[in-house]
Amino acid sequence: WARTSEATRAHRAQILRRIEAKSGLVPVELIDRASIIETRESASTPLQARHVINTLRAMFKWAVDVGRMETVAVTANGPVGVHCTLAPL
């Protein structure tokens, strides 16, 4: 996060706020592939859809890196699923 530019942090925070406003607070263990695809498809443009996916990818990568989640299966295309440990911050 510290290596991410301030503009990127602000943009990602804006995207996450929009997702939260639309979907509410959802337990991470309920976020599945279908819900991510639905969120992506609700974007207004292909560029916005890409930004949504990049933001979610960064958020899940961070959660795995800090031990809040564990990847369940990894394929050539990346993680297929995650397991939330719900470790306190």
Side-chain angles (χ1 to χ4, degrees):
W1 185 254
R3 295 181 306 206
T4 307
S5 75
E6 190 171 326
T8 299
R9 287 191 303 250
H11 189 232
R12 287 181 177 170
Q14 179 184 32
I15 289 169
L16 291 171
R17 282 193 300 272
R18 269 192 261 131
I19 292 170
E20 181 183 357
K22 183 176 180 179
S23 302
L25 294 176
V26 177
V28 72
E29 58 269 10
L30 297 181
I31 300 172
D32 59 7
R33 183 178 177 85
S35 63
I36 291 172
I37 290 170
E38 181 182 336
T39 301
R40 179 193 68 196
E41 296 301 314
S42 71
S44 302
T45 67
L47 180 62
Q48 286 181 345
R50 185 175 57 164
H51 287 302
V52 165
I53 293 301
N54 288 344
T55 297
L56 292 174
R57 181 181 295 123
M59 179 187 70
F60 284 117
K61 182 181 181 318
W62 167 83
V64 170
D65 288 348
V66 299
R68 299 268 298 163
M69 302 177 84
E70 297 174 7
T71 58
V72 173
V74 178
T75 68
N77 295 324
V80 173
V82 293
H83 170 71
C84 180
T85 61
L86 294 179
L89 289 176

